[in-house]
Amino acid sequence: MTAPLRSDPTVVNVALGARSYDIVIGRGVLASLGARIAALRPGAKAVIVTDDNVARYHLEPAEAAMHEAGVAASRVVVPAGEASKSYRVFEQVCEAIIASRIERDDLVVALGGGVIGDLAGFAASVVRRGVDYVQVPTTLLADVDSSVGGKTAIDSAHGKNLIGAFHQPMLVLADTALLDTLPDREFRAGYAELAKYGLLGDAAFFAWLEANWRDVFGAAAAREHAIAVACRAKAAIVARDERETGDRALLNLGHTFGHALEAACGFSDRLLHGEAIAAGMALAFEFSARRQGLIAMADAKRAIRHLAEVGLPTRVNDIPGPLPSVDRLMELIGQDKKVRRGMLTFILVRGIGAAFIEKGVDAREVRTFLSEKLAER
Ligand SMILES: NC(=O)c1ccc[n+]([C@@H]2O[C@H](COP(=O)([O-])OP(=O)(O)OC[C@H]3O[C@@H](n4cnc5c(N)ncnc54)[C@H](O)[C@@H]3O)[C@@H](O)[C@H]2O)c1
Ligand SMILES: [Zn+2]
């Protein structure tokens, strides 16, 4: 099936009072970037922050869209990759934004995946004590997760995302055609975060994904639909709990196990974030079934089967290269989650689409479970 050049956009609102904004989803919506900015901030100019991969494909069309609407735009291009979420690159981005004479009423445009969204969003939160910014996500992960909700950050030597701010964008423009140039492996990794919304709170969406995932990977209208469902889910959670004092933690399904595996692989190409989350969700489902008796094994297997079917890692065996000992993995989990009197907080599941926050998971149970998993290697 060939994809249409354009589709009528779907608009999802993130309801946060004075900080409310729209997520505009559709094929070809990038062409409206300048016009939308001009409508929201008449007379504003902008700096587009992007990485060198994304720049190759999508910077000129973005600039053309700004130019057509009469919005003056300069550009900052940083190297692609997580390493750009550093103090050094952050400084360069801030200085470049200031050098382009951005005033309080002007804007930053984050054109890229989660790395650019986090980096440019954080820069926007501090330059001139805060300017507005627009997210133009170019990865599936950014479409369904990082571009929505206002978490921005760079990395510290002590860990990922430790220096940052909550800073909501004023618009998210998710042009699904931009994903056509995304490498398959990156698309698949983002799919893990998409499936997460079904697994954590929407059994019907999960069943829909089981039936339609091929169309989501293809450029069919199913892709826009899936992204819209995910954004609606994230928008609802963020509207309830903007600063993650409660419910928003549900979005961390699979992330405790996942982060430990990601850290164990040195945050390298060995295991992309979404891949780690797929393995982490599979472990969370199995742990909920086997060690906690919360969910039928058949349901846990169904969740895991789907992730495996799309080609995501679901077993520690699927992760290439050596993994550290169970002690080290427990240490990594302990760094990620506070251990209180031997108890850990985990997102567990009572069924597909029924995740909940459990603050009293016995660390010894987790260790036994992980030892069993490592022994399978
Ligand atoms: N703020 C949040 O709420 C939040 C949520 C989840 C993840 N994150 C952060 O997001 C980051 C991961 O994001 P990501 O997976 O999007 O990674 P990324 O931004 O590094 O993008 C992945 C790769 O794809 C390339 N790329 C991006 N768009 C492309 C396109 N359209 N065509 C071709 N190549 C393209 C990039 O250059 C990069 O090499 C992590 O730093 C993570 O901490 C933030
Ligand atoms: Zn994630």
Side-chain angles (χ1 to χ4, degrees):
M1 188 171 142
T2 49
L5 215 54
R6 301 247 160 121
S7 67
D8 282 339
T10 302
V11 180
V12 175
N13 186 257
V14 186
L16 287 169
R19 294 183 305 290
S20 295
Y21 53 96
D22 284 341
I23 308 165
V24 179
I25 304 153
R27 268 193 101 74
V29 292
L30 181 65
S32 68
L33 176 64
R36 287 178 195 276
I37 286 176
L40 286 167
R41 286 284 183 287
K45 55 184 181 305
V47 183
I48 302 176
V49 181
T50 192
D51 74 32
D52 48 12
N53 280 339
V54 177
R56 198 170 328 128
Y57 303 108
H58 306 300
L59 181 54
E60 277 172 22
E63 286 176 336
M66 303 287 260
H67 185 75
E68 263 167 46
V71 180
S74 50
R75 53 160 82 176
V76 183
V77 182
V78 306
E82 182 71 26
S84 281
K85 281 173 61 175
S86 65
Y87 283 113
R88 195 178 49 81
V89 178
F90 175 70
E91 178 185 356
Q92 288 166 1
V93 170
C94 290
E95 292 298 329
I97 294 171
I98 296 163
S100 65
R101 299 178 186 281
I102 286 299
E103 310 278 340
R104 286 291 293 278
D105 297 336
D106 296 327
L107 296 166
V108 170
V109 175
L111 173 70
V115 164
I116 290 300
D118 280 11
L119 173 69
F122 184 42
S125 81
V126 292
V127 166
R128 294 190 174 267
R129 297 199 181 82
V131 296
D132 281 329
Y133 73 117
V134 174
Q135 289 271 18
V136 184
T138 65
T139 64
L140 180 57
L141 180 136
D143 280 331
V144 301
D145 197 357
S146 59
S147 72
V148 176
K151 279 191 186 176
T152 72
I154 59 172
D155 301 333
S156 142
H158 294 277
K160 273 190 60 173
N161 298 326
L162 292 179
I163 307 120
F166 282 96
H167 186 44
Q168 299 292 344
M170 69 164 212
L171 170 70
V172 180
L173 195 63
D175 186 337
T176 50
L178 304 187
L179 303 181
D180 294 349
T181 59
L182 189 64
D184 288 346
R185 187 177 170 201
E186 293 288 351
F187 192 96
R188 197 176 303 116
Y191 185 89
E193 302 276 10
L194 180 63
K196 184 182 77 179
Y197 293 98
L199 291 171
L200 78 85
D202 190 342
F205 180 52
F206 184 74
W208 183 90
L209 286 174
E210 287 179 306
N212 296 287
W213 67 270
R214 284 184 184 80
D215 290 337
V216 176
F217 277 75
R223 186 189 280 179
E224 282 85 78
H225 172 72
I227 292 170
V229 171
C231 286
R232 259 181 227 116
K234 180 146 187 187
I237 291 176
V238 169
R240 282 203 302 276
D241 179 19
E242 185 180 6
R243 291 189 166 239
E244 198 169 320
T245 52
D247 258 16
R248 188 165 175 172
L250 289 172
L251 297 171
N252 296 332
L253 174 64
H255 281 62
T256 303
F257 287 125
H259 280 159
L261 295 170
E262 212 182 350
C265 294
F267 298 100
S268 69
D269 280 358
R270 244 176 88 194
L271 193 65
L272 300 179
H273 174 75
E275 293 170 344
I277 295 324
M281 289 192 293
L283 290 170
F285 268 81
E286 201 181 330
F287 181 73
S288 298
R290 203 189 291 286
R291 304 289 317 176
Q292 308 277 306
L294 288 163
I295 167 181
M297 198 50 165
D299 287 338
K301 283 197 168 143
R302 179 180 158 204
I304 296 166
R305 196 184 319 120
H306 178 61
L307 297 171
E309 185 182 20
V310 307
L312 284 163
T314 54
R315 299 167 308 174
V316 285
N317 268 336
D318 296 334
I319 300 165
L323 282 180
S325 65
V326 73
D327 289 332
R328 178 68 187 137
L329 284 178
M330 288 306 293
E331 214 176 279
L332 290 167
I333 286 177
Q335 275 169 15
D336 198 52
K337 295 275 165 257
K338 274 189 217 81
V339 191
R340 285 200 195 87
R341 293 193 204 92
M343 293 295 169
L344 290 162
T345 298
F346 262 77
I347 311 305
L348 296 180
V349 284
R350 291 200 179 86
I352 286 175
F356 66 100
I357 303 166
E358 174 56 68
K359 295 199 170 137
V361 175
D362 191 334
R364 288 169 304 183
E365 285 282 311
V366 178
R367 160 186 266 282
T368 307
F369 175 71
L370 280 177
S371 314
E372 284 168 16
K373 294 283 107 191
L374 287 171
E376 288 171 13
R377 279 169 81 86

